[in-house]
Amino acid sequence: MSPDSLDPNEPEFPKLIDPPFRSAKEPLVLSPSDSLQGGQASLDEAPADAEQLTVPASAAQYLREYQKDGIRWLYQQYIRELGGVLGDDMGLGKTCMCVNFVAAVLKKTCMPSDRMGCGADDGRCCLIVVPASVIHQWQSEFARWVYAQVCTIKTGSDVDPVMRKVRAKGVVEVVIVGHDRFRMSADELCSYDWHLAIFDEAHKLKNANAKLVEATRKLSTKRRYGLTGTPIQNNFQELFTLLDLLTPGCMGESNVFHDYYTKPFSVGQKHDATPAQRRKGSERQGQLNELVNKWVLRRDKSLIADQLPGKDDNVVFCKLAGMQTRAYERFLALPDVQLLVRSKEPCDCGSNEQRSKCCYRSDPAGVLWPFYHPDGSQCRQCPHCCLFPAMQKLIQISNHLALLRPRPDDKPEKQEFDALLWEELTHGERPQDLEDKYINTSSAAHCGKLRVTKMLLRQFQEEGSKVLLFSFST
């Protein structure tokens, strides 16, 4: 956002390229009497002196109705000094909603005067804890939507100077910090009384014994809000941990919670449960859903289904690059991999047994088998014990040769194994392609998938299309 380009006499929202949505230019007034379009689980009566907040019209006009509802929900929790989980599906704009909610809390007007500091007279400051990889994205969202004094903490050396500014009151309004840095600097960061705290990717707070959870418990603010696309966790304990952390005490005592909800539900789900047990489990599940709805706002993409383009799935087959093909063939030629390739052939000893059941169960001259059998003795599954490791290596070769590089954080024996395999797979390659052993193999020229991806990205760029790229971890 370029503050100097704005007319000081006219509130102006930062320029957007072809904004997909725009409503009437009216402010979003947040009032204790607000109700959500989709209904809301009943909460205690709002305090009589609850402050009314406003999202300026210049920003509110770009919010969809369900996003305004999300901000209203956060506000209802806020005025009651409660936490909660904004559990919308990915793509519905959780970050956008939170940024505008924080803008309202800081009493921003979207006027250039906002650059002078917080509109509230108490110098309130908000803490936002996010994955380190999206700190820049959160900065960009604040720059897009509102004038705010935002500081980031990326390393340990950033903590002291930022916290000095925070304690100066009115100098800093928002502090964004990564999960790991928050965990490692919890004593310093939690010594301050933050006005509110927001946790992106809040499902990382589900493990009661995690260091990040321990750090979060040290916060003094009761206004803790989590953002996650997967608010309902894998089991009752994880759900309890997440909600109890964001709103302490909202689910009751742990032992009472599990006696009342977890045990009847678990018993009712068993195949030999009696009708009475199933009925009791169903009743407790309904009660739990009603309780959870007080602390979790969950919406899916059906809210905007009519606004989404049609989906086309296209599978693009990518030919392996030359070096990949040669590495693939060299791997299949390894002695212990040949044990797998030829496992069903008749043994040449004349026993009429398959090779894998007779004389060819192991080969110490290979690479895989010696690594998984360091004592040199066969196991009951030999040679098929090497099947899945071999498949994994073939997948890595097909995806990118750089995935085979030794990792410095692996154990020495694993690094030695990876280095030996690398030598076997790249034997005979041109020295210039193996400069410093690994550097040049990271080039897209040696990866079929990356070559195709680059061509597609270039085409999408020429078309002016937006791209969201997911990579499967191998």
Side-chain angles (χ1 to χ4, degrees):
M1 183 162 63
S2 302
D4 296 332
S5 65
L6 300 178
D7 181 352
N9 298 316
E10 173 66 19
E12 180 71 16
F13 186 74
K15 297 292 188 295
L16 295 178
I17 300 175
D18 297 326
F21 175 82
R22 189 169 184 171
S23 62
K25 196 170 184 179
E26 297 176 352
L28 171 60
V29 179
L30 304 173
S31 170
S33 61
D34 284 342
S35 60
L36 306 186
Q37 282 192 347
Q40 181 183 18
S42 59
L43 294 170
D44 294 337
E45 192 72 23
D49 58 347
E51 62 177 327
Q52 180 175 288
L53 301 177
T54 301
V55 177
S58 50
Q61 63 178 321
Y62 293 101
L63 298 173
R64 298 181 186 276
E65 195 56 43
Y66 75 86
Q67 291 175 325
K68 294 179 181 178
D69 259 358
I71 296 173
R72 292 188 185 102
W73 183 83
L74 288 169
Y75 168 74
Q76 292 296 330
Q77 306 296 112
Y78 170 83
I79 59 177
R80 292 169 172 80
E81 293 194 23
L82 300 173
V85 176
L86 186 56
D88 291 347
D89 273 353
M90 184 180 71
L92 294 184
K94 295 188 290 292
T95 304
C96 159
M97 287 182 254
C98 282
V99 168
N100 280 282
F101 169 63
V102 169
V105 168
L106 296 176
K107 300 189 176 179
K108 294 297 184 177
T109 64
C110 283
M111 294 282 284
S113 58
D114 285 345
R115 286 176 291 176
M116 303 304 294
C118 185
D121 55 10
D122 55 3
R124 56 187 61 171
C125 190
C126 304
L127 177 68
I128 302 180
V129 185
V130 305
S133 59
V134 299
I135 288 178
H136 178 72
Q137 178 186 336
W138 274 85
Q139 278 184 287
S140 299
E141 287 299 304
F142 271 101
R144 177 186 297 271
W145 289 94
V146 63
Y147 295 110
Q149 309 301 319
V150 179
C151 279
T152 62
I153 297 177
K154 298 179 180 178
T155 65
S157 61
D158 295 334
V159 176
D160 285 343
V162 169
M163 292 308 297
R164 281 197 295 270
K165 293 179 181 178
V166 169
R167 291 189 173 89
K169 299 284 187 180
V171 179
V172 176
E173 300 166 293
V174 177
V175 173
I176 306 174
V177 61
H179 285 150
D180 290 338
R181 178 45 50 195
F182 173 72
R183 170 179 57 81
M184 290 185 284
S185 303
D187 291 340
E188 299 93 323
L189 293 172
C190 295
S191 65
Y192 183 77
D193 185 19
W194 301 96
H195 191 68
L196 61 84
I198 294 175
F199 292 84
D200 197 3
E201 302 292 341
H203 50 267
K204 294 186 177 181
L205 300 173
K206 64 184 182 182
N207 185 347
N209 298 318
K211 297 294 184 181
L212 181 60
V213 171
E214 293 179 10
T216 304
R217 288 198 179 103
K218 296 179 181 180
L219 287 169
S220 59
T221 180
K222 298 178 181 178
R223 297 175 172 130
R224 308 173 188 174
Y225 307 103
L227 311 183
T228 176
T230 56
I232 306 304
Q233 301 302 312
N234 296 328
N235 56 52
F236 285 96
Q237 179 58 51
E238 292 179 355
L239 177 65
F240 178 88
T241 299
L242 174 62
L243 296 182
D244 185 70
L245 183 65
L246 296 176
T247 305
C250 71
M251 308 298 284
E253 295 292 332
S254 177
N255 59 335
V256 176
F257 174 86
H258 290 296
D259 287 342
Y260 191 81
Y261 294 111
T262 307
K263 291 181 180 178
F265 179 79
S266 299
V267 171
Q269 290 291 301
K270 294 182 178 179
H271 72 278
D272 57 349
T274 65
Q277 290 172 329
R278 291 194 183 97
R279 186 166 54 253
K280 183 177 181 180
S282 179
E283 290 173 355
R284 295 294 165 85
Q285 182 182 13
Q287 294 173 13
L288 179 60
N289 290 341
E290 185 176 344
L291 177 62
V292 168
N293 286 339
K294 288 186 177 183
W295 317 110
V296 178
L297 180 63
R298 173 70 173 162
R299 283 93 56 88
D300 58 35
K301 285 192 176 70
S302 62
L303 288 169
I304 56 173
D306 59 329
Q307 303 162 30
L308 296 174
K311 179 183 178 183
D312 292 322
D313 290 323
N314 296 286
V315 179
V316 181
F317 290 94
C318 307
K319 185 178 179 179
L320 295 181
M323 187 182 291
Q324 283 179 296
T325 301
R326 294 189 292 273
Y328 199 101
E329 292 171 347
R330 292 185 186 110
F331 183 81
L332 291 178
L334 291 174
D336 43 0
V337 178
Q338 279 295 301
L339 295 178
L340 299 170
V341 174
R342 303 180 60 191
S343 63
K344 293 186 178 181
E345 294 180 11
C347 186
D348 51 20
C349 72
S351 66
N352 292 325
E353 290 282 352
Q354 293 181 356
R355 287 165 55 96
S356 62
K357 296 180 180 179
C358 193
C359 303
Y360 294 92
R361 297 187 59 209
S362 63
D363 195 329
V367 178
L368 288 177
W369 191 89
F371 176 71
Y372 290 102
H373 302 81
D375 60 356
S377 59
Q378 296 179 357
C379 65
R380 293 177 59 186
Q381 288 80 28
C382 283
H384 300 294
C385 56
C386 294
L387 179 60
F388 286 109
M391 291 173 60
Q392 182 68 15
K393 293 303 176 185
L394 289 173
I395 291 173
Q396 291 177 325
I397 293 171
S398 302
N399 281 327
H400 202 303
L401 287 175
L403 295 171
L404 297 167
R405 296 181 299 188
R407 295 164 54 93
D409 53 340
D410 282 338
K411 294 182 178 180
E413 55 268 27
K414 179 64 164 59
Q415 293 187 48
E416 183 180 349
F417 162 72
D418 288 338
L420 178 59
L421 180 61
W422 180 266
E423 295 294 337
E424 292 284 348
L425 299 185
T426 59
H427 179 71
E429 295 294 339
R430 298 185 307 169
Q432 57 266 39
D433 289 335
L434 299 174
E435 181 183 342
D436 293 334
K437 285 191 177 181
Y438 312 117
I439 293 178
N440 281 2
T441 55
S442 297
S443 168
H446 299 306
C447 177
K449 286 186 176 182
L450 278 185
R451 286 159 65 177
V452 174
T453 301
K454 285 182 68 175
M455 289 188 290
L456 289 174
L457 290 175
R458 190 178 299 115
Q459 178 181 332
F460 294 147
Q461 184 181 34
E462 292 172 355
E463 295 172 352
S465 301
K466 294 182 179 179
V467 175
L468 184 59
L469 186 64
F470 292 92
S471 175
F472 180 74
S473 174
T474 55

